[in-house]
Amino acid sequence: MKFRKSLIALSLTAAVLTGCNQGNVQSSAPATVSNQAVLTTYADIAHATFEDALTTAQALRVAVKQLLAAPTDANLQAAKDAWTAARVPYQQTEAYRFGNAMVDDWEGRVNAWPLDEGLIDYVATGYGTESDENPFYSANVIANTTLTLGGKTIDATVIDKKLLAETLHEVDDVEANVATGYHAIEFLLWGQDLNGTNPGAGQRPVSDLDTSNCTNGSCERRRQYLMAVTDLLIDDLQEMVNNWTANGAARQDLFGKGEQGGLATMLTGMGSLAYGELAGERTKLGLMLHDPEEEHDCFSDNTHFSHYYDAKGIKNVYLGKYTRVDGSVVKGASLADLLAAKAPAVDLEMRHKLEITEAAAQAMVNAAANGQTFDVLIGENNAQGNQLVQNFVDALADETKAVEGAIAALQLDDIELEGSDSLDNPTAVLAD
């Protein structure tokens, strides 16, 4: 996924943080822990988390096949449930994006958003028919076997993985032309979210996938698209699992940076996801604009969980511990161990801030369980909901300051964390 980016250079001359009242947060470390062991744990957790993302995507494919074999409301709901379950491990991988170029370059194939859904399928009349920025805004490949690009005709007679990945995804170099990944699948399962800031996700009828009782036309092609995009997601996830194996390219790239470079990669991922991406682009921007379209899992109204597990992934990296979908635990030497030995006050501060962030994320999850999903929380005239979201933003910003403290304590140089106009230059956002 690619966004408007503004990088902020973080000062590495900050004094070591002093202790404060941090409740029951405790720091403990082994007598010795090596930088190399910390990097190995980090890579092992990456492999396990991407492997869980793959496993749950494979379960999603089973559910999709069952849905297509027997298009019933129960099977549609089972596919939706499988999609939601697949998001749990995947979101915990996102702390690996920043600093790991191989992951960041790949990520747009599986998690790009927001998407102009008119490229894929039918949309409501209020969506409009054209966009100055996107000539494929309402191309509707499911309804059309040919498309025109730059005077050339695209043959879309068969909707397969090659068409989606090589031709349609980001067609015409427009990032909103998302044809692949989790969110394309989400749209095909849920349909447009036309509820604005009212509770409720999209409401695609199962008959949209039933050739014997077809609604909204082109049901066979819609089925082709759903199967192809699900298969493609699995291919892409398998690629990243392979990259983090013992001899995988991403693991070798990490170790090739040296110990200090590897630690810098870890902290870059933590801070950039926390600040520029999660606090800024995914949360504060929607709060500023009160725009229900600015939610990460907008068709399913699952954004509260996406944010929760993004934050969880940052905590996993710091503590060197990941709980797999089968309940087993991958753990080892961690950044927390290094800092507990070298700068215990910094470690305590980092742990404390991670817990505050998790509590703020949990508050949004709790609100969603009571009908206040993320699009409702960021809506206008919802002061209480807005404050819950702002609490999460503030917690992430404070967490990033703790990351800065860790960077300084470990004497790591030349680190830049991802920024966001939403946080760093809000007047520019509001002027757009």
Side-chain angles (χ1 to χ4, degrees), residues 55-68:
T55 299
T56 52
Q58 289 168 336
L60 170 61
R61 178 167 59 181
V62 170
V64 166
K65 285 185 175 180
Q66 181 60 36
L67 169 61
L68 297 182

Side-chain angles (χ1 to χ4, degrees), residues 59-60 63-64 66 72-84 189:
L60 170 61
V64 166
Q66 181 60 36
T72 66
D73 287 331
N75 285 338
L76 176 58
Q77 187 59 52
K80 290 178 177 179
D81 291 344
W83 183 92
T84 303
L189 292 177

Side-chain angles (χ1 to χ4, degrees), residues 42 45 49 88-96 266 269-270 273 278 305-322 354 358 399:
Y42 174 76
I45 290 176
T49 315
V88 172
Y90 177 76
Q91 291 303 119
Q92 292 178 79
T93 71
E94 292 220 283
Y96 287 83
M266 295 174 69
M270 291 172 57
L273 176 57
L278 189 52
F305 274 128
S306 281
H307 288 356
Y308 177 90
Y309 286 110
D310 260 335
K312 182 74 170 175
I314 298 169
K315 187 177 181 181
N316 296 345
V317 168
Y318 184 71
L319 296 180
K321 181 179 179 181
Y322 167 64
L354 287 167
E358 189 167 62
E399 182 180 299

Side-chain angles (χ1 to χ4, degrees), residues 183-257:
H183 297 295
I185 298 170
E186 180 191 13
F187 171 55
L188 288 169
L189 292 177
W190 272 272
Q192 272 187 294
D193 182 356
L194 302 174
N195 295 291
T197 55
N198 293 315
Q203 297 178 332
R204 182 181 293 281
V206 71
S207 50
D208 273 6
L209 297 163
D210 187 350
T211 54
S212 64
N213 183 33
C214 182
T215 52
N216 297 301
S218 306
C219 287
E220 177 55 40
R221 289 176 60 79
R222 192 171 293 111
R223 291 161 60 91
Q224 284 182 27
Y225 199 123
L226 179 57
M227 197 70 256
V229 73
T230 304
D231 286 342
L232 185 59
L233 175 65
I234 290 169
D235 291 350
D236 288 334
L237 289 169
Q238 182 67 68
E239 176 185 321
M240 192 51 63
V241 170
N242 295 344
N243 284 337
W244 286 100
T245 57
N247 296 312
R251 188 183 290 247
Q252 295 306 309
D253 183 62
L254 173 73
F255 292 158
K257 296 176 182 179

Side-chain angles (χ1 to χ4, degrees), residues 4 285 288-289 421-422 425-432:
R4 299 183 302 274
L285 181 61
M288 290 174 63
L289 302 177
D421 283 347
S422 304
N425 189 17
T427 55
V429 174
L430 296 174
D432 287 345

Side-chain angles (χ1 to χ4, degrees), residues 76-318:
L76 176 58
Q77 187 59 52
K80 290 178 177 179
D81 291 344
W83 183 92
T84 303
R87 296 294 282 167
V88 172
Y90 177 76
Q91 291 303 119
Q92 292 178 79
T93 71
E94 292 220 283
Y96 287 83
R97 277 185 58 197
F98 304 95
N100 291 294
M102 192 171 296
V103 179
D104 199 31
D105 292 344
W106 164 92
E107 186 267 353
R109 287 151 51 185
V110 299
N111 196 43
W113 78 285
L115 59 82
D116 285 347
E117 55 262 49
L119 168 72
I120 298 173
D121 202 359
Y122 73 89
V123 289
T125 55
Y127 179 85
T129 59
E130 59 184 32
S131 165
D132 292 338
E133 299 177 353
N134 184 8
F136 290 86
Y137 182 71
S138 57
N140 191 354
V141 67
I142 284 176
N144 294 287
T145 57
T146 59
L147 302 173
T148 302
L149 173 61
K152 297 182 179 180
T153 298
I154 298 172
D155 181 3
T157 304
V158 177
I159 300 177
D160 56 15
K161 292 188 291 184
K162 183 176 181 180
L163 175 70
L164 300 185
E166 299 180 14
T167 303
L168 291 182
H169 191 60
E170 295 190 355
V171 62
D172 207 32
D173 295 322
V174 176
E175 292 178 3
N177 284 330
V178 177
T180 67
Y182 288 100
H183 297 295
I185 298 170
E186 180 191 13
F187 171 55
L188 288 169
L189 292 177
W190 272 272
Q192 272 187 294
D193 182 356
L194 302 174
N195 295 291
T197 55
N198 293 315
Q203 297 178 332
R204 182 181 293 281
V206 71
S207 50
D208 273 6
L209 297 163
D210 187 350
T211 54
S212 64
N213 183 33
C214 182
T215 52
N216 297 301
S218 306
C219 287
E220 177 55 40
R221 289 176 60 79
R222 192 171 293 111
R223 291 161 60 91
Q224 284 182 27
Y225 199 123
L226 179 57
M227 197 70 256
V229 73
T230 304
D231 286 342
L232 185 59
L233 175 65
I234 290 169
D235 291 350
D236 288 334
L237 289 169
Q238 182 67 68
E239 176 185 321
M240 192 51 63
V241 170
N242 295 344
N243 284 337
W244 286 100
T245 57
N247 296 312
R251 188 183 290 247
Q252 295 306 309
D253 183 62
L254 173 73
F255 292 158
K257 296 176 182 179
E259 292 181 355
Q260 293 296 95
L263 296 178
T265 291
M266 295 174 69
L267 287 158
T268 297
M270 291 172 57
S272 293
L273 176 57
Y275 188 77
E277 184 78 1
L278 189 52
E281 295 291 346
R282 297 193 187 179
T283 307
K284 184 62 176 181
L285 181 61
L287 185 59
M288 290 174 63
L289 302 177
H290 302 294
D291 183 356
E293 293 297 312
E294 293 291 343
E295 62 165 337
H296 191 48
D297 294 356
C298 66
F299 307 114
S300 60
D301 275 355
N302 185 61
T303 301
H304 50 284
F305 274 128
S306 281
H307 288 356
Y308 177 90
Y309 286 110
D310 260 335
K312 182 74 170 175
I314 298 169
K315 187 177 181 181
N316 296 345
V317 168
Y318 184 71

